[in-house]
Amino acid sequence: MPYVNVCLDLSAAMNAYKFIWNFPLKFNNVVIHLGDFHFIKENFGVIGGIVEASGFEDVVYQAGVCSYGSLKDVLSGSHYNRAWIVHSAFSEALERLLFQIFLKENNIAIPDYFYDACIDPIASCAVITENASSLYSEYQAFKEEARNGALGKTAQFWIRTTHLAVQENDFDQRVLVWKFSLPMYFALNKQNYVRYASYYVGVFQNIDILHPGLREMLDKSGLENRN
């Protein structure tokens, strides 16, 4: 069956869903996707609500990443570009700190050829690929332990609040990101996102039953967003 994939922001999707629910036979090949732009903005607001008054503002301000006057817009997610820059920089800093702890606790020294690869990546490619893959796997296991509380509640808090996903043409990852966000919407009383995102996740967790052939279509062609 040929499907019509329509990507909409939540406010428009709410009305579109009503048509589909009221006329299921007429629109049985129309599939609504929730747009990523407002989804990301909403997540910035959710993260801002979680980290507010945690020391996040002081770190960002003292690092010179953002002025105090703009922090309100960053925490609310209303200033998309600035929020993206601030959260990306903050996440990068936390990732580097965690990696330093990983190296120290496991008594690991970065080999010289890792640094040589920065100068001549082609010549070092084979060695780097094998060793970097092993190091990365060990670090991810360490990070998962920290996410579960192995390094204490503070580390666990920051790892969970900076767990942002990168949008790729990966259907399963897309659904996982939405599913991961649902508890935060419940906690912060984002009623519309709770209601419609829960439905959205439920539909796409059962995509092979509800929309046979759609998964292959999305994997092949991707999903273009027009917000």
Side-chain angles (χ1 to χ4, degrees):
M1 175 187 294
Y3 292 100
V4 178
N5 292 284
V6 183
C7 189
L8 299 169
D9 293 330
L10 181 63
S11 57
M14 290 166 59
N15 292 321
Y17 274 130
K18 293 175 184 177
F19 278 97
I20 292 176
W21 293 338
N22 287 328
F23 305 98
L25 296 179
K26 186 175 182 179
F27 297 108
N28 64 340
N29 68 327
V30 177
V31 182
I32 302 297
H33 298 269
L34 299 181
D36 291 333
F37 176 68
H38 282 271
F39 167 63
I40 294 174
K41 285 188 66 176
E42 195 69 27
N43 277 3
F44 283 150
V46 168
I47 294 171
I50 294 174
V51 302
E52 187 174 8
S54 65
F56 173 86
E57 301 97 314
D58 294 326
V59 171
V60 170
Y61 173 71
Q62 292 178 20
V65 178
C66 185
S67 66
Y68 256 120
S70 300
L71 274 172
K72 181 179 179 181
D73 293 333
V74 169
L75 292 175
S76 67
S78 60
H79 199 305
Y80 176 83
N81 290 336
R82 192 159 293 164
W84 186 273
I85 292 171
V86 169
H87 285 297
S88 295
F90 193 80
S91 297
E92 174 73 14
L94 290 178
E95 194 76 41
R96 292 188 181 203
L97 287 172
L98 183 63
F99 188 67
Q100 290 175 6
I101 294 173
F102 163 72
L103 295 177
K104 182 178 180 180
E105 291 202 356
N106 292 277
N107 197 26
I108 298 175
I110 299 295
D112 290 338
Y113 54 76
F114 271 72
Y115 299 104
D116 294 338
C118 297
I119 301 173
D120 189 0
I122 297 178
S124 307
C125 181
V127 177
I128 291 298
T129 300
E130 180 179 352
N131 289 278
S133 177
S134 175
L135 184 65
Y136 177 79
S137 298
E138 293 177 15
Y139 172 63
Q140 289 302 313
F142 177 82
K143 186 176 181 179
E144 187 61 30
E145 291 177 0
R147 183 179 288 112
N148 293 328
L151 297 180
K153 294 294 184 180
T154 301
Q156 184 181 38
F157 170 80
W158 287 114
I159 290 175
R160 288 185 173 180
T161 53
T162 56
H163 184 66
L164 300 177
V166 177
Q167 175 65 26
E168 298 178 351
N169 186 29
D170 186 330
F171 174 79
D172 293 325
Q173 180 69 11
R174 178 184 177 85
V175 175
L176 182 63
V177 171
W178 277 98
K179 184 178 180 180
F180 176 82
S181 303
L182 290 177
M184 295 190 292
Y185 296 146
F186 274 99
L188 296 178
N189 199 30
K190 304 286 186 179
Q191 295 184 17
N192 287 331
Y193 270 91
V194 167
R195 182 179 297 114
Y196 290 94
S198 296
Y199 175 78
Y200 180 70
V201 170
V203 167
F204 285 96
Q205 283 185 320
N206 297 281
I207 185 173
D208 295 325
I209 298 174
L210 299 175
H211 302 292
L214 179 58
R215 175 190 289 271
E216 291 75 15
M217 179 180 176
L218 293 175
D219 288 340
K220 180 180 179 180
S221 304
L223 180 64
E224 181 181 1
N225 291 332
R226 295 181 181 272
N227 294 294

